[in-house]
Amino acid sequence: MTDSVPIQLEPGVLVLLETRQRKQMDMLHLAAALAFDTGATIIDGGNHFNAYLITSRVRHDTADLSILDSLQVARAFNCYQVVELIKAVPLNGCP
């Protein structure tokens, strides 16, 4: 199984995670850990979220790829889309 989530996330709380290129792998490992834990809605505002790496990480840890269903990814290509995606994040108890 993958490492546990390195930060404490509260259900219903919106968390902003901004990364530089060198820290991108940390963000992807966090997303993989969330897939095993609570799931998450991920808003990618810079077109840097690599879903293939998440799939590879999960596949390394388990054969059950249905775990990936707990991650929802939305991409925004301008600031207005980011705002609309944030407003649309479901309040279902997942980070």
Side-chain angles (χ1 to χ4, degrees):
M1 182 175 260
T2 187
D3 299 330
S4 64
V5 178
I7 57 175
Q8 183 64 35
L9 299 175
E10 298 293 327
V13 174
L14 184 64
V15 176
L16 174 65
L17 178 63
E18 187 271 343
T19 62
R20 300 278 185 240
Q21 185 67 26
R22 68 182 184 278
K23 296 289 186 177
Q24 185 178 11
M25 288 306 294
D26 291 343
M27 179 199 54
L28 296 173
H29 287 292
L30 174 62
L34 286 170
F36 283 97
D37 192 19
T38 60
T41 299
I42 298 163
I43 298 173
D44 180 5
N47 202 23
H48 289 281
F49 185 81
N50 189 334
Y52 295 110
L53 290 177
I54 299 298
T55 302
S56 176
R57 173 71 186 216
V58 170
R59 186 176 291 147
H60 178 267
D61 293 338
T62 183
D64 182 12
L65 295 182
S66 68
I67 288 171
L68 294 170
D69 292 339
S70 67
L71 295 178
Q72 301 297 316
V73 179
R75 295 192 193 277
F77 297 98
N78 60 51
C79 60
Y80 306 105
Q81 290 175 338
V82 171
V83 170
E84 291 306 312
L85 288 172
I86 290 171
K87 288 179 184 178
V89 170
L91 299 177
N92 60 3
C94 291

